[in-house]
C-alpha cells in the first residue's frame, strides 16, 4: 500500500523533495558536462601548444638549412662518417667510450668550431635549448653527431651518438603523421618529434634533412624545451577546472534558488493548504479558507494547479452545501415516512384480543410491510352487534403512492359499509365507481370483503380480484375456496361484483391473505405458492388464529431464507365459535 | 425481462419475456407510451412470460383504456400461470384473451 504524505518519515520526506532531486540531477549533469569540457578543452589546448612548438622548431631547422655553410657541413660530415664507417661495429657499441670518441678528434678544427658557433648563434637567437648537425644511421637508429652547437658541459663531440626507435627515425625521415585535429587545422607534415629523454628532459626535436653523405642522411636539428609548455598546460588545466567548477556551482545555486522559489515553495504552500483543508473537520466552513488565500504567481503549471485547487475548493463547498441540503431533505422525508408509517399502522386495528367481550368468534391479523409504508391492508369492524366486516386488500404498486391509495380505499370501504349497510358486492361496486371517477394515477386495489352474521354464522362475501380465501370446516382441513372473482377495484367504472354465501359452523375458520404470502420468493426464484401455504395452515389442526398466522409466517421465513422480503405480507385469521349460549 | 417490438402498419405487437413486475413494468410502459400513437391494433404476446405482478397489470389496464378509445387490444399466448392471475384479479373480464 502506498503511504500518505503524513505517514512518511522525515528522511523519506527529504528524499521526496523536488529540490533534492533537481540538485542531484544538476550535480550529475554538471559533472558530466564539466568532465567532457575539461577533457576536450585540454586536448585542444595541448595539441595547439604542441603544434606551435613543433612548427617553431621545424621552421628554425629550415631557416638554418639555408643560412649555414653547407659546404663545411658536407666536408665535416664526410670526415665524421668516413671515420665512423672505418670503425668495426664491435668497437662502436659504446658512444661514450673515450677510445671510440678519440678517433674523431681530427675533425675538430677551426672550420668545425666556426660551424658550431654559427649553429649556436641561431639557437640563442631563437630561444632553443640545443642545435646540432647530425647524421642518421637508419640500420641502427643512431643519430651520429657531426657538429654540436652546445658550448657547455653537455657538449656532444663528433662521432657521439644517441639511439632512437623506428618511429622517431621515420618521423624525421618522412614527417609527422597528421592527427585528425592537425588535418582540420590545416597543419603541414613536419619532421618534428616530441621526446622525453633522461639526458635532455622533455624536448621537441625538429630536423631538416640537408643531403646524404656516404649513404647517411645528414640533418640540421634544433631542440626546443617542452617543459615550459607542459607546465603551462598544467596551469591551464587547473585554472580551467577551477573556472568550470565555480561556474557550475554558481549555476546550481541560482537554479536551486529559482526552483525553490518558483516550484518548491508554491508546491509546499499547496500541500500545507491541502493538509489544513483535510484537517478542518467542519466541512461546511472550509469554503474559501485555504486555497483561496494562496497567492501563487509562478506563471506556469503550478499556478494553474493552484487556480484549479481554488476552483475545486469552491466547487466542493457548493457540493457540501448541496449535500447538506439534500441530506436534510432526506432526513425530513425519512422522518415523515416514519410518521406516515405510524399513521398507517394506527389506521389498522392491531390490539388483541380485538373484541374481548365477544365469545362467538376469534380474529387475528398481521401486516409486515416491505418498505416503510405499504400498500396492503386488512380491516375488521362491527357494523352492529350481529355483523362483523372483514376486509383484505392489496394496492397495486408500493411505497407512498400505494400507502395514500390504501388509506383512501380503506376509509371508503369502511364508510360505504357502515353508512349503506349494503351487501359486499354493492359496497365494492360503489367504492369502485367512486375511485374510478378520479383515478389519475391509474392505481387499483384488490379487495376481499366478507360480512359475517354472528348469530347464525352466515358469511356473505365478494371478491374484487383478490386471492382465494382458505376455509376450514370444523373437522376438515384448510382448502382454497374458489369464489367468484370480479375485476380489481379502480380498473374501470360500472363493473359488477358477485356476492356469495358460506355457512360457517362453530369451529370453522377463514384465512385471508395477500400475494406477499403466495409470492414470497426463495433465493432460486421459486414462489412460496398456495400448496405450501395450505400445508402450513394444516400443520396444527388445533391452532387458534394467532398461532395459525405464526405457523404460516415461520413457513415463509424457512422458505425464503436469506432472500429479502419484497412485498408486504398480510394475513387475517377468523374462527367462528358459535352463537352466544344465552342467545 | 425482454421486450420484442414489431410495428406493422397500425398493428403494434409486443412480445414480453420473463418477469413483468414492479421493477420491469415501467420499461414496458415506456415502450407502450412511445409507440401507441395511431395504433389500431395492440397485441401482447405473453407466450414466454413467467410472471405478472400488480404493477404489470396496471400497465395492461392503462393500455386497455387507451385502446378502448382508438382500436382493439388483444393478449395472446397466455399460459396457465398468467391465466390464473388474470382470473384471480378479474382482468379476464376486461381483457380480450386468446390462449
Amino acid at each position: 500500500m502506498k503511504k500518505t504524505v503524513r505517514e512518511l518519515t522525515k528522511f523519506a520526506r527529504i528524499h521526496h523533495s523536488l529540490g533534492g532531486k533537481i540538485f542531484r540531477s544538476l550535480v550529475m549533469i554538471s559533472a558530466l558536462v564539466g568532465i567532457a569540457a575539461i577533457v576536450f578543452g585540454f586536448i585542444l589546448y595541448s595539441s595547439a601548444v604542441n603544434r606551435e612548438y613543433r612548427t617553431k622548431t621545424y621552421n628554425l631547422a629550415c631557416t638554418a638549412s639555408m643560412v649555414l655553410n653547407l659546404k663545411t657541413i658536407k666536408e665535416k660530415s664526410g670526415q665524421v662518417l668516413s671515420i665512423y664507417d672505418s670503425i668495426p661495429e664491435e668497437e662502436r657499441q659504446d658512444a661514450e667510450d673515450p677510445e671510440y670518441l678519440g678517433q674523431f678528434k681530427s675533425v675538430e678544427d677551426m672550420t668545425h668550431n666556426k660551424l658550431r658557433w654559427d649553429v649556436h648563434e641561431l639557437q640563442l637567437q631563437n630561444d632553443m635549448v640545443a642545435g646540432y648537425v647530425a647524421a642518421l644511421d637508419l640500420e641502427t637508429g643512431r643519430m651520429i653527431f657531426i657538429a654540436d652547437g652546445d658550448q657547455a658541459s653537455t657538449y656532444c663531440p663528433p662521432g657521439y651518438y644517441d639511439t632512437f626507435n623506428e618511429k622517431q627515425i621515420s618521423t624525421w625521415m618522412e614527417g609527422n603523421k597528421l592527427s585528425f585535429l592537425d588535418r582540420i587545422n590545416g597543419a603541414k607534415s613536419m619532421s618534428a618529434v616530441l621526446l622525453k629523454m633522461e639526458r635532455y628532459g622533455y624536448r621537441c626535436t625538429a630536423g631538416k634533412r640537408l643531403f646524404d653523405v656516404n649513404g647517411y642522411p645528414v640533418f640540421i636539428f634544433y631542440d626546443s624545451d617542452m617543459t615550459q609548455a607542459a607546465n603551462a598546460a598544467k596551469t591551464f588545466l587547473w585554472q580551467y577546472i577551477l573556472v568550470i567548477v565555480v561556474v557550475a556551482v554558481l549555476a546550481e545555486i541560482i537554479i536551486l534558488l529559482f526552483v525553490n522559489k518558483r516550484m518548491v515553495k508554491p508546491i509546499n504552500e499547496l500541500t500545507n493548504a491541502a493538509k489544513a483543508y483535510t484537517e478542518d473537520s467542519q466541512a461546511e466552513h472550509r469554503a474559501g479558507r485555504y486555497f483561496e488565500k494562496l497567492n501563487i504567481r509562478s506563471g506556469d503549471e503550478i499556478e494553474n494547479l493552484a487556480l484549479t485547487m481554488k476552483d475545486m475548493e469552491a466547487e466542493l463547498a457548493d457540493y457540501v452545501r448541496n449535500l447538506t441540503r439534500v441530506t436534510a431533505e432526506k432526513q425530513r422525508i425519512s422522518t415523515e415516512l416514519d410518521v406516515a408509517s405510524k399513521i398507517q399502522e394506527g389506521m389498522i386495528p392491531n390490539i388483541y384480543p380485538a373484541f374481548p367481550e365477544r365469545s362467538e368468534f376469534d380474529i387475528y391479523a398481521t401486516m409486515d410491510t416491505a418498505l416503510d409504508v405499504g400498500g396492503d391492508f386488512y380491516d375488521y369492524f362491527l357494523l352492529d352487534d350481529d355483523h362483523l366486516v372483514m376486509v383484505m386488500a392489496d394496492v397495486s404498486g408500493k411505497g407512498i403512492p400505494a400507502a395514500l391509495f390504501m388509506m383512501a380505499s380503506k376509509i371508503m370501504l369502511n364508510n360505504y359499509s357502515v353508512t349503506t349497510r349494503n351487501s359486499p358486492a354493492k359496497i365494492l361496486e360503489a367504492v369502485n365507481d367512486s375511485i374510478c371517477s378520479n383515478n389519475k394515477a391509474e392505481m387499483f386495489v384488490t379487495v376481499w370483503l366478507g360480512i359475517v352474521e354472528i348469530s347464525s354464522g352466515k358469511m356473505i362475501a365478494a371478491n374484487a380480484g383478490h386471492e382465494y380465501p382458505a376455509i376450514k370446516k370444523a373437522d376438515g382441513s384448510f382448502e382454497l375456496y374458489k369464489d367468484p372473482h370480479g375485476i380489481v377495484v379502480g380498473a374501470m367504472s360500472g363493473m359488477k361484483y358477485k356476492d356469495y354465501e358460506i355457512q360457517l359452523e362453530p369451529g370453522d375458520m377463514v384465512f385471508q391473505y395477500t400475494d406477499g404470502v403466495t409470492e414470497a420468493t426463495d433465493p432460486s426464484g421459486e414462489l412460496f405458492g398456495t400448496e405450501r401455504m395450505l400445508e402450513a395452515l394444516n400443520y396444527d389442526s388445533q391452532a387458534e388464529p394467532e398461532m395459525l398466522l405464526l405457523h404460516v409466517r415461520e413457513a415463509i421465513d424457512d422458505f425464503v431464507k436469506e432472500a429479502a422480503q419484497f412485498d408486504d405480507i398480510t394475513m387475517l385469521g377468523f374462527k367462528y365459535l358459535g352463537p352466544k349460549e344465552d342467545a | 425481462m425482454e421486450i420484442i417490438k414489431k410495428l406493422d402498419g397500425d398493428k403494434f405487437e409486443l412480445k414480453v419475456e420473463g418477469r413483468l413486475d414492479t421493477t420491469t413494468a415501467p420499461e414496458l410502459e415506456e415502450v407502450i407510451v412511445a409507440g401507441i400513437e395511431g395504433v389500431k391494433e395492440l397485441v401482447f404476446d405473453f407466450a414466454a412470460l413467467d410472471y405478472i405482478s400488480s404493477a404489470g397489470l396496471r400497465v395492461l389496464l392503462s393500455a386497455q383504456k387507451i385502446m378502448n378509445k382508438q382500436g382493439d387490444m388483444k393478449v395472446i399466448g397466455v399460459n396457465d400461470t398468467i391465466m390464473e392471475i388474470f382470473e384471480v384479479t378479474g382482468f379476464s373480464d376486461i381483457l380480450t384473451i386468446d390462449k
Side-chain angles (χ1 to χ4, degrees), chain A residues 358-362 505-508 544 574-579:
Chain A
R358 303 304 295 245
S359 58
E360 304 99 313
F361 62 93
D362 186 11
E505 304 301 334
D508 287 1
E544 296 301 310
F574 173 82
K575 186 172 187 182
Y576 182 60
L577 298 169

Side-chain angles (χ1 to χ4, degrees), chain A residues 79-131:
Chain A
Q79 289 173 8
V80 170
L81 293 169
S82 298
I83 296 166
Y84 179 79
D85 276 343
S86 68
I87 302 169
E89 180 58 28
E90 314 87 78
E91 287 169 30
R92 306 194 297 214
Q93 291 303 312
D94 185 3
E96 300 195 29
D97 181 5
E99 203 175 306
Y100 164 73
L101 288 175
Q103 301 189 54
F104 294 92
K105 274 289 174 211
S106 60
V107 177
E108 295 174 278
D109 57 7
M110 282 299 288
T111 24
H112 186 259
N113 218 17
K114 172 78 176 48
L115 177 62
R116 280 183 57 207
W117 276 110
D118 288 347
V119 170
H120 187 62
E121 194 66 30
L122 276 173
Q123 172 203 325
L124 289 180
Q125 281 165 8
N126 291 280
D127 202 20
M128 295 285 142
V129 287

Side-chain angles (χ1 to χ4, degrees), chain A residues 407-575:
Chain A
M407 296 285 263
S409 317
K410 183 188 170 295
I411 291 166
M412 276 192 238
L413 285 166
N414 185 295
N415 273 356
Y416 278 97
S417 308
V418 174
T419 54
T420 64
R421 300 296 302 268
N422 273 336
S423 77
K426 294 281 174 238
I427 294 169
L428 291 180
E429 282 162 17
V431 171
N432 181 49
D433 287 346
S434 181
I435 287 175
C436 285
S437 67
N438 200 1
N439 186 12
K440 290 212 174 71
E442 289 183 330
M443 297 187 77
F444 54 80
V445 56
T446 67
V447 183
W448 176 88
L449 191 144
I451 301 177
V452 183
E453 193 177 68
I454 298 163
S455 55
S456 64
K458 188 177 82 177
M459 180 173 83
I460 299 171
N463 196 330
H466 199 78
E467 310 287 329
Y468 297 114
I471 310 277
K472 181 187 180 226
K473 299 311 257 178
D475 46 359
S477 54
F478 274 102
E479 273 167 33
L480 285 186
Y481 184 83
K482 303 263 178 165
D483 56 354
H485 271 64
I487 181 100
V488 295
V489 171
M492 276 177 199
S493 58
M495 301 307 290
K496 297 287 168 207
Y497 298 96
K498 229 179 252 168
D499 284 321
Y500 60 91
E501 191 182 311
I502 296 173
Q503 182 58 51
L504 297 174
E505 304 301 334
D508 287 1
M509 290 173 89
V510 177
F511 177 77
Q512 214 3 319
Y513 53 94
T514 58
D515 58 6
V517 174
T518 49
E519 289 171 10
T521 310
D522 79 351
S524 72
E526 200 182 336
L527 300 181
F528 185 66
T530 48
E531 292 294 317
R532 288 190 184 81
M533 183 185 75
L534 289 173
E535 207 174 289
L537 287 171
N538 292 321
Y539 170 72
D540 177 6
S541 61
Q542 301 304 309
E544 296 301 310
E546 186 175 351
M547 279 310 288
L548 195 68
L549 267 51
L550 197 65
H551 287 323
V552 177
R553 182 68 219 214
E554 278 171 357
I556 293 170
D557 289 345
D558 278 356
F559 177 74
V560 300
K561 296 189 187 78
E562 70 270 23
Q565 183 186 338
F566 189 65
D567 204 354
D568 303 343
I569 295 176
T570 307
M571 299 180 279
L572 181 147
F574 173 82
K575 186 172 187 182

Side-chain angles (χ1 to χ4, degrees), chain A residues 279-291:
Chain A
E279 278 166 6
D280 189 340
S281 54
Q282 289 197 292
E284 63 272 28
H285 297 147
R286 286 174 186 168
R289 277 185 81 161
Y290 299 101
F291 294 104

Side-chain angles (χ1 to χ4, degrees), chain B residues 22-39:
Chain B
T22 323
T23 48
T24 57
E27 197 185 323
L28 179 64
E29 188 168 17
E30 250 174 63
V31 171
I32 294 171
V33 169
I36 202 162
E37 210 180 303
V39 171

Side-chain angles (χ1 to χ4, degrees), chain A residues 369-380:
Chain A
T369 50
L371 299 172
D372 283 336
V373 287
D376 280 8
F377 69 93
Y378 64 81
D379 199 6
Y380 50 79

